[in-house]
Amino acid sequence: MSTTLPAPTPLDPEVTGASPRTYLVKTLGCQMNVHDSEHMAGMLEQAGYVPAAPEDAASEDADVIVINTCAVRENAADKLYGNLGRLAGTKRARPGMQIAVGGCLAQKDRAGIVERAPWVDVVFGTHNLDVLPVLLERARHNERAEVEIAESLQVFPSTLPTRRESAYAGWVSISVGCNNTCTFCIVPHLRGKERDRRPGEILAEVEALMQQGAIEVTLLGQNVNSYGVEFGDRGAFAKLLRAAGAVEGLERLRFTSPHPAAFTDDVIDAMAATPTVMPQLHMPLQSGSDRVLRAMRRSYRSEKFLGILDRVRAAMPHAAITTDIIVGFPGETEEDFAETLRVVEASRFASAFTFQYSPRPGTPAADLPDQLPKAVVQERYERLVALQERISLEENQAQVGRTLDVLMAEGEGRKDGTTERRSGRAEDNRLVHLALPADLAPQDAPRPGDVVTVTVTHGAPHHLVADSAATGGTFAVRRTRAGDAWEARQAGDDAHDHGGAGAACGTGAPAPRGPVVLGLPTIGLRA
């Protein structure tokens, strides 16, 4: 069933004379979900909702709470229903409160969510984010739960209004969906086949972010380097990197996550030749065993993976490489696991996201024989983590003495208040905690979005410390327009625009009126 109702207007306080309803979006899952949540927030604000105040958000005190779910991790369902169980009491105590569930688990479980948690008001899927405001209003009017799950993409998410979490950095989706058939992954079933955006639309969105003050962009795709498959150009992603990297005002360009099977040397060349592309690569390994990779339907082998890393490091010697690894895939032997340890040792990852395999209903791997005992998986997982912790520590200790440019961030340093440090990301995306000079005037302190030059004084497994300023060493602050944008947002003078589908990602910048070539093929606009 498709939604044909117009966008709701009764929330406009000028019409109702009432205070606007508040909202909170809680995100579970990956970067794609984080960006989807930005679209959800943008649509709600366009419909007249306002964000819950920080103290209210912390206590989950809002008129509408949206949970954007994940279906990939083992405890995804536990997290959702744990959140919903806690919110049941909140809703009983707050008449008129609404709860909406979206994202991958909503796409998968559908009406089963309302059956298990009947106090949920709205369920919507990954293919129809645009229906959220309408379904909330319909549920209020009809006083019943509204469930709407589309089977295919209705509106490209990047055409929707967007409320960016950050004033200084932004996500830009270049594609949605996935054409791979990895046996452990349910994402293609939930997000559909790959759909590529027009290059002109992508570049217009990057330009709009620069106009708003951002200086960093991360290109997003389920398999980001497969970009161009829909219009038949294997070199499209490398061309896009060069074109996006040349947008005026952009200082840092990143992308995630590429697939090793589609990783080509022209991408490495583009990374090395484009100064704004950062020396950082996150590329999932999943397993170091060729036998397990075949069982996973991962169409590369360990030596190809290591060869890519060698060529990346030859082109960018200081590149930091991170990865994802699954331990305990069905049928994994001790010899298979030893191969994973071998490849991890050889790869010298700066860090790794490590996961214990758990069956995801609906995936081929869930029905494979030889599911491993939990104790075996746990023991192997602990060995892998210990190995990667050692490597991460060694790699970070090797950074001591390097002078880095750190883009200051908001919320990265959980202990900044007690350590009196500030935190941000180096060009290679390592987390850096840095000291300020003792005599630095408050008005001269770096803001999120500013860039600080410091020297690394200590390396830990998960971060660097750069206390050079505390001893009279390297310390310089470059105040940026991104810092100005952050400061304006703090003062309530946010230039953010929730423009609709006629704008480039709802940023308020007009979408290109015709094809933008820039050496890339184009594809037609979609409804």
Side-chain angles (χ1 to χ4, degrees):
M1 179 180 67
S2 62
T3 301
T4 57
L5 294 177
T9 57
L11 296 173
D12 187 344
E14 293 185 5
V15 175
T16 64
S19 298
R21 286 166 60 80
T22 60
Y23 78 89
L24 168 65
V25 180
K26 296 169 64 71
T27 308
L28 311 175
C30 65
Q31 296 98 327
M32 301 293 285
N33 273 22
V34 172
H35 193 32
D36 283 349
S37 291
E38 291 183 330
H39 296 315
M40 295 173 194
M43 288 184 295
L44 289 172
E45 292 194 19
Q46 186 184 62
Y49 296 84
V50 298
E55 60 274 15
D56 292 333
S59 60
E60 298 180 327
D61 185 9
D63 295 310
V64 170
I65 295 182
V66 183
I67 303 177
N68 187 10
T69 63
C70 169
V72 175
R73 308 290 162 80
E74 177 181 11
N75 59 353
D78 293 339
K79 282 189 174 180
L80 169 62
Y81 291 107
N83 273 275
L84 292 178
R86 187 176 60 253
L87 289 173
T90 306
K91 185 174 180 180
R92 283 193 297 269
R94 184 177 182 134
M97 177 184 175
Q98 290 183 290
I99 300 171
V101 178
C104 289
L105 199 61
Q107 185 78 26
K108 173 179 170 290
D109 288 358
R110 306 180 178 226
I113 292 174
V114 175
E115 293 171 4
R116 186 167 170 181
W119 53 94
V120 169
D121 299 275
V122 167
V123 178
F124 61 106
T126 58
H127 297 311
N128 58 337
L129 304 183
D130 57 306
V131 303
L132 174 59
V134 171
L135 292 183
L136 286 168
E137 191 59 31
R138 187 190 291 168
R140 281 214 301 167
H141 179 270
N142 295 338
E143 297 184 343
R144 70 183 183 203
E146 294 290 339
V147 178
E148 187 166 310
I149 306 292
E151 297 302 328
S152 60
L153 195 66
Q154 304 298 295
V155 177
F156 205 101
S158 293
T159 66
L160 298 172
T162 308
R163 175 65 193 187
R164 302 277 181 179
E165 283 194 355
S166 169
Y168 48 86
W171 310 100
V172 173
S173 289
I174 68 171
S175 63
V176 295
C178 178
N179 291 340
N180 291 324
T181 58
C182 301
T183 56
F184 57 82
C185 185
I186 199 169
V187 167
H189 173 66
L190 300 179
R191 289 193 177 264
K193 293 291 186 181
E194 181 172 328
R195 301 274 302 270
D196 294 330
R197 293 179 72 192
R198 291 195 317 164
E201 293 174 348
I202 296 167
L203 297 176
E205 184 176 347
V206 175
E207 290 169 355
L209 279 167
M210 298 307 100
Q211 292 166 10
Q212 292 177 353
I215 58 175
E216 177 176 295
V217 163
T218 301
L219 303 179
L220 283 179
Q222 214 70 53
N223 289 312
V224 69
N225 58 324
S226 295
Y227 177 74
V229 66
E230 194 171 5
F231 42 76
D233 184 356
R234 291 181 178 272
F237 183 63
K239 296 172 187 175
L240 181 64
L241 280 180
R242 294 176 186 269
V247 170
E248 184 177 357
L250 180 67
E251 297 189 16
R252 297 187 174 197
L253 181 63
R254 307 186 191 276
F255 59 90
T256 195
S257 291
H259 194 291
F263 206 98
T264 51
D265 286 348
D266 63 337
V267 172
I268 298 174
D269 294 341
M271 293 173 69
T274 310
T276 50
V277 176
M278 293 294 95
Q280 174 233 339
L281 175 66
H282 180 84
M283 188 166 65
L285 169 63
Q286 306 302 11
S287 175
S289 163
D290 290 349
R291 193 187 69 82
V292 172
L293 288 171
R294 280 192 294 271
M296 290 177 166
R297 293 187 196 154
R298 300 284 289 178
S299 46
Y300 58 89
R301 301 297 174 253
S302 60
E303 290 312 302
K304 175 172 183 174
F305 186 94
L306 290 170
I308 294 170
L309 303 197
D310 288 342
R311 294 194 295 279
V312 168
R313 287 179 169 133
M316 293 170 286
H318 292 299
I321 298 173
T322 58
T323 196
D324 299 332
I325 303 172
I326 296 172
V327 177
F329 188 80
E332 180 190 76
T333 65
E334 183 60 31
E335 290 73 21
D336 293 323
F337 181 65
E339 280 295 285
T340 293
L341 297 180
R342 177 188 69 83
V343 174
V344 169
E345 185 76 68
S347 297
R348 306 297 297 178
F349 297 119
S351 64
F353 295 93
T354 52
F355 307 96
Q356 298 185 38
Y357 172 78
S358 62
R360 310 314 302 148
T363 63
D367 298 322
L368 288 176
D370 300 323
Q371 302 282 332
L372 272 61
K374 171 67 175 175
V376 172
V377 178
Q378 180 68 34
E379 189 273 337
R380 290 178 186 172
Y381 174 80
E382 290 172 1
R383 273 192 282 159
L384 175 61
V385 169
L387 171 61
Q388 184 56 52
E389 288 278 300
R390 172 177 65 78
I391 294 171
S392 295
L393 176 60
E394 292 169 354
E395 291 297 305
N396 282 353
Q397 287 176 333
Q399 305 300 309
V400 173
R402 284 191 65 196
T403 297
L404 307 175
D405 288 333
V406 180
L407 176 60
M408 304 308 296
E410 186 174 29
E412 290 274 26
R414 291 177 295 173
K415 298 181 180 179
D416 284 357
T418 55
T419 62
E420 298 184 351
R421 291 188 177 101
R422 302 291 175 89
S423 300
R425 295 281 172 175
E427 291 184 331
D428 64 10
N429 211 37
R430 282 183 167 96
L431 177 61
V432 182
H433 304 302
L434 59 90
L436 303 180
D439 59 351
L440 186 70
Q443 65 269 22
D444 296 328
R447 307 159 299 178
D450 289 338
V451 177
V452 179
T453 303
V454 286
T455 299
V456 179
T457 55
H458 175 72
H462 305 292
H463 65 268
L464 303 176
V465 175
D467 281 351
S468 51
T471 57
T474 307
F475 182 84
V477 177
R478 177 165 63 86
R479 295 176 77 81
T480 69
R481 55 189 178 77
D484 295 342
W486 177 86
E487 195 167 53
R489 177 176 286 194
Q490 298 304 108
D493 185 22
D494 190 357
H496 179 87
D497 187 332
H498 301 293
C505 194
T507 57
R513 296 191 179 188
V516 176
V517 182
L518 294 176
L520 288 88
T522 60
I523 57 179
L525 283 168
R526 302 183 180 88

Coordinates of all heavy atoms in Angstrom, one line a residue, residues 415-456:
K415 N 36.2 11.5 28.4 CA 36.8 11.9 29.6 C 37.4 13.3 29.5 O 38.2 13.7 30.4 CB 37.9 10.9 30.0 CG 37.4 9.5 30.2 CD 38.6 8.5 30.6 CE 38.1 7.1 30.8 NZ 39.2 6.2 31.2
D416 N 37.1 14.0 28.5 CA 37.7 15.3 28.3 C 37.4 16.3 29.5 O 38.3 17.1 29.9 CB 37.1 16.0 27.0 CG 37.7 15.4 25.8 OD1 38.6 14.6 25.9 OD2 37.4 15.8 24.7
G417 N 36.3 16.1 30.1 CA 36.0 17.0 31.3 C 36.9 16.7 32.5 O 37.3 17.7 33.1
T418 N 37.3 15.5 32.7 CA 38.2 15.2 33.8 C 39.7 15.4 33.4 O 40.5 15.7 34.3 CB 37.9 13.8 34.3 OG1 38.1 12.9 33.2 CG2 36.5 13.7 34.9
T419 N 40.0 15.1 32.2 CA 41.4 15.2 31.8 C 41.8 16.6 31.3 O 43.0 16.9 31.1 CB 41.7 14.2 30.6 OG1 40.9 14.6 29.5 CG2 41.4 12.8 31.0
E420 N 40.8 17.5 31.1 CA 40.9 18.8 30.6 C 41.6 18.8 29.2 O 42.4 19.7 28.8 CB 41.8 19.7 31.6 CG 41.0 19.9 32.9 CD 41.8 20.8 33.8 OE1 42.9 21.2 33.5 OE2 41.2 21.2 34.9
R421 N 41.3 17.8 28.4 CA 41.8 17.7 27.1 C 40.6 18.0 26.1 O 39.5 18.0 26.5 CB 42.4 16.3 26.8 CG 43.7 16.0 27.5 CD 44.3 14.7 26.9 NE 45.6 14.4 27.5 CZ 45.8 13.6 28.5 NH1 44.7 12.9 29.0 NH2 47.0 13.3 29.0
R422 N 40.9 18.1 24.8 CA 40.0 18.2 23.8 C 40.2 17.0 22.8 O 41.4 16.5 22.8 CB 40.0 19.5 23.0 CG 39.8 20.7 23.9 CD 38.4 20.8 24.4 NE 38.2 21.9 25.4 CZ 37.9 23.2 25.0 NH1 37.8 23.5 23.7 NH2 37.8 24.1 25.9
S423 N 39.3 16.7 22.0 CA 39.4 15.5 21.2 C 39.0 15.7 19.7 O 38.1 16.6 19.5 CB 38.6 14.3 21.7 OG 39.0 14.0 23.0
G424 N 39.6 15.0 18.8 CA 39.2 15.1 17.4 C 39.8 14.0 16.6 O 40.3 13.0 17.2
R425 N 39.8 14.1 15.3 CA 40.3 13.1 14.4 C 41.4 13.6 13.6 O 41.4 14.7 13.0 CB 39.2 12.6 13.5 CG 38.0 11.9 14.3 CD 38.4 10.5 14.6 NE 37.4 9.8 15.5 CZ 37.4 8.6 15.8 NH1 38.4 7.8 15.4 NH2 36.5 8.1 16.6
A426 N 42.5 12.8 13.5 CA 43.6 13.1 12.6 C 43.2 12.8 11.2 O 42.1 12.2 10.9 CB 44.8 12.2 13.0
E427 N 44.0 13.2 10.2 CA 43.7 12.9 8.8 C 43.4 11.5 8.5 O 42.6 11.1 7.7 CB 44.8 13.5 7.9 CG 44.8 15.0 7.9 CD 45.8 15.6 7.0 OE1 46.8 14.9 6.7 OE2 45.6 16.7 6.5
D428 N 44.2 10.6 9.2 CA 44.0 9.1 9.0 C 42.9 8.6 9.9 O 42.7 7.3 9.9 CB 45.3 8.4 9.3 CG 45.8 8.5 10.7 OD1 45.0 9.0 11.6 OD2 46.9 8.0 11.0
N429 N 42.1 9.4 10.5 CA 40.9 9.1 11.3 C 41.2 8.5 12.7 O 40.3 8.1 13.4 CB 40.0 8.1 10.5 CG 38.5 8.4 10.9 OD1 38.1 9.5 11.1 ND2 37.7 7.3 11.0
R430 N 42.5 8.5 13.1 CA 42.8 8.1 14.4 C 42.2 9.1 15.4 O 42.2 10.3 15.2 CB 44.3 8.0 14.7 CG 44.9 6.7 14.1 CD 46.3 6.6 14.4 NE 46.9 5.3 14.2 CZ 47.5 4.9 13.1 NH1 47.6 5.8 12.1 NH2 48.0 3.7 12.9
L431 N 41.7 8.6 16.5 CA 41.1 9.5 17.6 C 42.3 10.1 18.4 O 43.2 9.4 18.8 CB 40.2 8.7 18.5 CG 39.7 9.4 19.7 CD1 38.8 10.6 19.3 CD2 38.9 8.5 20.6
V432 N 42.3 11.4 18.5 CA 43.4 12.1 19.2 C 42.8 12.9 20.4 O 41.9 13.7 20.2 CB 44.2 13.0 18.2 CG1 45.3 13.7 19.0 CG2 44.7 12.3 17.0
H433 N 43.4 12.7 21.6 CA 43.1 13.6 22.7 C 44.3 14.5 22.9 O 45.4 14.0 23.0 CB 42.9 12.7 24.0 CG 41.8 11.7 23.8 ND1 40.5 11.9 23.5 CD2 41.9 10.3 24.0 CE1 39.8 10.8 23.4 NE2 40.6 9.8 23.7
L434 N 44.0 15.8 23.0 CA 45.1 16.8 23.1 C 44.9 17.8 24.2 O 43.8 18.1 24.6 CB 45.3 17.5 21.7 CG 44.1 18.3 21.2 CD1 44.1 19.7 21.6 CD2 44.1 18.2 19.6
A435 N 46.0 18.2 24.7 CA 46.0 19.2 25.8 C 46.1 20.6 25.2 O 46.5 20.8 24.1 CB 47.3 19.0 26.7
L436 N 45.5 21.5 26.0 CA 45.6 22.9 25.6 C 46.7 23.6 26.4 O 46.9 23.2 27.5 CB 44.2 23.6 25.8 CG 43.0 23.0 25.1 CD1 41.7 23.8 25.5 CD2 43.2 23.0 23.6
P437 N 47.3 24.7 25.9 CA 48.2 25.4 26.7 C 47.6 26.0 27.9 O 46.4 26.4 27.9 CB 48.7 26.6 25.7 CG 48.3 26.1 24.4 CD 47.1 25.2 24.5
A438 N 48.3 26.0 29.0 CA 47.7 26.5 30.3 C 47.3 27.9 30.2 O 46.4 28.3 30.9 CB 48.8 26.2 31.4
D439 N 48.0 28.7 29.4 CA 47.7 30.1 29.4 C 46.8 30.5 28.2 O 46.6 31.7 27.9 CB 49.0 30.9 29.2 CG 49.8 30.6 28.0 OD1 49.4 29.6 27.4 OD2 50.8 31.3 27.7
L440 N 46.1 29.5 27.6 CA 45.2 29.8 26.4 C 44.0 30.5 26.9 O 43.3 30.0 27.8 CB 44.9 28.5 25.7 CG 44.1 28.7 24.4 CD1 45.0 29.3 23.3 CD2 43.6 27.3 23.9
A441 N 43.6 31.6 26.4 CA 42.4 32.3 26.7 C 41.2 31.5 26.2 O 41.3 30.9 25.2 CB 42.4 33.7 26.1
P442 N 40.1 31.5 27.0 CA 38.9 30.7 26.6 C 38.4 31.1 25.2 O 38.0 30.2 24.5 CB 37.9 31.1 27.7 CG 38.7 31.5 28.9 CD 39.9 32.2 28.3
Q443 N 38.5 32.3 24.8 CA 38.0 32.7 23.5 C 38.9 32.2 22.4 O 38.5 32.2 21.2 CB 37.8 34.2 23.4 CG 39.1 35.0 23.5 CD 39.5 35.4 24.9 OE1 39.0 34.8 25.9 NE2 40.2 36.5 25.0
D444 N 40.1 31.8 22.7 CA 41.0 31.3 21.7 C 41.0 29.8 21.7 O 41.8 29.2 20.8 CB 42.4 31.8 22.0 CG 42.5 33.3 21.9 OD1 41.8 33.9 21.1 OD2 43.3 33.9 22.6
A445 N 40.2 29.1 22.5 CA 40.2 27.6 22.5 C 39.6 27.1 21.2 O 38.7 27.7 20.7 CB 39.4 27.1 23.7
P446 N 40.1 26.0 20.7 CA 39.5 25.4 19.5 C 38.1 25.0 19.7 O 37.7 24.4 20.7 CB 40.4 24.3 19.2 CG 41.0 23.9 20.5 CD 41.2 25.1 21.3
R447 N 37.3 25.2 18.7 CA 35.9 24.7 18.6 C 35.8 23.5 17.8 O 36.6 23.2 16.9 CB 35.0 25.8 18.0 CG 35.2 27.2 18.7 CD 34.7 28.3 17.7 NE 35.4 28.3 16.5 CZ 35.2 29.2 15.5 NH1 34.2 30.0 15.6 NH2 35.9 29.2 14.4
P448 N 34.7 22.7 18.0 CA 34.5 21.6 17.0 C 34.4 22.2 15.6 O 33.7 23.2 15.4 CB 33.1 21.0 17.5 CG 33.1 21.3 19.0 CD 33.8 22.6 19.1
G449 N 35.2 21.6 14.7 CA 35.2 22.1 13.4 C 36.5 22.9 13.1 O 36.9 23.0 11.9
D450 N 37.2 23.3 14.1 CA 38.5 23.9 13.9 C 39.6 22.9 13.8 O 39.4 21.7 14.2 CB 38.8 24.9 15.1 CG 38.0 26.1 15.2 OD1 37.5 26.5 14.1 OD2 37.9 26.7 16.3
V451 N 40.7 23.3 13.3 CA 41.8 22.3 13.1 C 43.0 22.7 14.0 O 43.4 23.9 14.0 CB 42.3 22.3 11.6 CG1 43.5 21.4 11.4 CG2 41.1 21.8 10.7
V452 N 43.5 21.8 14.7 CA 44.6 22.0 15.7 C 45.8 21.2 15.3 O 45.7 20.0 15.0 CB 44.2 21.7 17.1 CG1 45.4 21.9 18.1 CG2 43.0 22.5 17.5
T453 N 47.0 21.8 15.2 CA 48.2 21.1 14.9 C 49.0 20.8 16.2 O 49.3 21.8 17.0 CB 49.1 22.0 14.0 OG1 48.4 22.3 12.8 CG2 50.4 21.3 13.6
V454 N 49.3 19.6 16.4 CA 49.9 19.1 17.6 C 50.9 18.0 17.3 O 50.9 17.4 16.2 CB 48.9 18.6 18.7 CG1 48.1 19.8 19.3 CG2 47.9 17.6 18.1
T455 N 51.7 17.6 18.3 CA 52.6 16.5 18.2 C 52.2 15.4 19.1 O 51.9 15.6 20.3 CB 54.1 16.9 18.5 OG1 54.4 17.9 17.5 CG2 55.0 15.7 18.3
V456 N 52.2 14.1 18.6 CA 51.8 13.0 19.4 C 52.8 12.7 20.5 O 54.0 12.6 20.2 CB 51.6 11.7 18.5 CG1 51.2 10.5 19.3 CG2 50.5 12.0 17.4

